[in-house]
PDB file of all heavy atoms in Angstrom:
ATOM      1  N   GLY A 226     -39.540-118.521 -36.376  1.00  0.00           N
ATOM      2  CA  GLY A 226     -39.345-117.339 -35.536  1.00  0.00           C
ATOM      3  C   GLY A 226     -40.369-117.163 -34.425  1.00  0.00           C
ATOM      4  O   GLY A 226     -40.323-116.176 -33.697  1.00  0.00           O
ATOM      5  N   ALA A 227     -41.311-118.113 -34.276  1.00  0.00           N
ATOM      6  CA  ALA A 227     -42.352-117.945 -33.245  1.00  0.00           C
ATOM      7  C   ALA A 227     -41.815-118.239 -31.849  1.00  0.00           C
ATOM      8  O   ALA A 227     -40.825-118.951 -31.688  1.00  0.00           O
ATOM      9  CB  ALA A 227     -43.524-118.875 -33.531  1.00  0.00           C
ATOM     10  N   GLU A 228     -42.528-117.679 -30.860  1.00  0.00           N
ATOM     11  CA  GLU A 228     -42.326-118.107 -29.476  1.00  0.00           C
ATOM     12  C   GLU A 228     -43.284-119.294 -29.332  1.00  0.00           C
ATOM     13  O   GLU A 228     -44.471-119.176 -29.664  1.00  0.00           O
ATOM     14  CB  GLU A 228     -42.740-116.946 -28.564  1.00  0.00           C
ATOM     15  CG  GLU A 228     -42.694-117.264 -27.103  1.00  0.00           C
ATOM     16  CD  GLU A 228     -43.627-116.353 -26.296  1.00  0.00           C
ATOM     17  OE1 GLU A 228     -43.993-115.255 -26.770  1.00  0.00           O
ATOM     18  OE2 GLU A 228     -44.005-116.802 -25.204  1.00  0.00           O
ATOM     19  N   VAL A 229     -42.779-120.436 -28.882  1.00  0.00           N
ATOM     20  CA  VAL A 229     -43.607-121.650 -28.914  1.00  0.00           C
ATOM     21  C   VAL A 229     -43.824-122.226 -27.521  1.00  0.00           C
ATOM     22  O   VAL A 229     -42.886-122.329 -26.728  1.00  0.00           O
ATOM     23  CB  VAL A 229     -42.946-122.733 -29.809  1.00  0.00           C
ATOM     24  CG1 VAL A 229     -43.795-123.998 -29.865  1.00  0.00           C
ATOM     25  CG2 VAL A 229     -42.706-122.194 -31.217  1.00  0.00           C
ATOM     26  N   THR A 230     -45.069-122.571 -27.223  1.00  0.00           N
ATOM     27  CA  THR A 230     -45.370-123.340 -26.014  1.00  0.00           C
ATOM     28  C   THR A 230     -45.891-124.697 -26.465  1.00  0.00           C
ATOM     29  O   THR A 230     -46.879-124.772 -27.198  1.00  0.00           O
ATOM     30  CB  THR A 230     -46.458-122.643 -25.155  1.00  0.00           C
ATOM     31  OG1 THR A 230     -46.000-121.321 -24.836  1.00  0.00           O
ATOM     32  CG2 THR A 230     -46.717-123.408 -23.871  1.00  0.00           C
ATOM     33  N   LEU A 231     -45.178-125.749 -26.069  1.00  0.00           N
ATOM     34  CA  LEU A 231     -45.590-127.110 -26.447  1.00  0.00           C
ATOM     35  C   LEU A 231     -46.138-127.799 -25.199  1.00  0.00           C
ATOM     36  O   LEU A 231     -45.418-128.020 -24.226  1.00  0.00           O
ATOM     37  CB  LEU A 231     -44.383-127.878 -27.005  1.00  0.00           C
ATOM     38  CG  LEU A 231     -44.578-129.350 -27.334  1.00  0.00           C
ATOM     39  CD1 LEU A 231     -45.613-129.549 -28.434  1.00  0.00           C
ATOM     40  CD2 LEU A 231     -43.257-129.990 -27.756  1.00  0.00           C
ATOM     41  N   ILE A 232     -47.426-128.117 -25.237  1.00  0.00           N
ATOM     42  CA  ILE A 232     -48.065-128.816 -24.108  1.00  0.00           C
ATOM     43  C   ILE A 232     -48.131-130.278 -24.507  1.00  0.00           C
ATOM     44  O   ILE A 232     -48.845-130.640 -25.453  1.00  0.00           O
ATOM     45  CB  ILE A 232     -49.470-128.240 -23.843  1.00  0.00           C
ATOM     46  CG1 ILE A 232     -49.352-126.729 -23.571  1.00  0.00           C
ATOM     47  CG2 ILE A 232     -50.134-128.955 -22.677  1.00  0.00           C
ATOM     48  CD1 ILE A 232     -50.684-125.993 -23.591  1.00  0.00           C
ATOM     49  N   THR A 233     -47.344-131.088 -23.830  1.00  0.00           N
ATOM     50  CA  THR A 233     -47.170-132.450 -24.335  1.00  0.00           C
ATOM     51  C   THR A 233     -47.556-133.535 -23.340  1.00  0.00           C
ATOM     52  O   THR A 233     -47.204-133.473 -22.162  1.00  0.00           O
ATOM     53  CB  THR A 233     -45.705-132.665 -24.812  1.00  0.00           C
ATOM     54  OG1 THR A 233     -45.521-134.042 -25.158  1.00  0.00           O
ATOM     55  CG2 THR A 233     -44.678-132.273 -23.759  1.00  0.00           C
ATOM     56  N   GLY A 234     -48.282-134.517 -23.858  1.00  0.00           N
ATOM     57  CA  GLY A 234     -48.549-135.730 -23.100  1.00  0.00           C
ATOM     58  C   GLY A 234     -47.267-136.556 -23.086  1.00  0.00           C
ATOM     59  O   GLY A 234     -46.272-136.181 -23.699  1.00  0.00           O
ATOM     60  N   PRO A 235     -47.291-137.720 -22.392  1.00  0.00           N
ATOM     61  CA  PRO A 235     -46.069-138.520 -22.262  1.00  0.00           C
ATOM     62  C   PRO A 235     -45.658-139.136 -23.598  1.00  0.00           C
ATOM     63  O   PRO A 235     -46.401-139.938 -24.175  1.00  0.00           O
ATOM     64  CB  PRO A 235     -46.477-139.624 -21.274  1.00  0.00           C
ATOM     65  CG  PRO A 235     -47.792-139.196 -20.715  1.00  0.00           C
ATOM     66  CD  PRO A 235     -48.438-138.297 -21.695  1.00  0.00           C
ATOM     67  N   VAL A 236     -44.487-138.746 -24.101  1.00  0.00           N
ATOM     68  CA  VAL A 236     -43.954-139.300 -25.357  1.00  0.00           C
ATOM     69  C   VAL A 236     -42.459-139.521 -25.181  1.00  0.00           C
ATOM     70  O   VAL A 236     -41.857-138.941 -24.290  1.00  0.00           O
ATOM     71  CB  VAL A 236     -44.173-138.345 -26.556  1.00  0.00           C
ATOM     72  CG1 VAL A 236     -45.636-138.189 -26.910  1.00  0.00           C
ATOM     73  CG2 VAL A 236     -43.546-136.980 -26.301  1.00  0.00           C
ATOM     74  N   GLY A 237     -41.890-140.322 -26.035  1.00  0.00           N
ATOM     75  CA  GLY A 237     -40.443-140.574 -25.929  1.00  0.00           C
ATOM     76  C   GLY A 237     -39.677-139.748 -26.937  1.00  0.00           C
ATOM     77  O   GLY A 237     -38.810-140.275 -27.617  1.00  0.00           O
TER      78      GLY A 237
END
Side-chain angles (χ1 to χ4, degrees):
E228 175 204 339
V229 181
T230 303
L231 175 63
I232 303 168
T233 174
V236 293

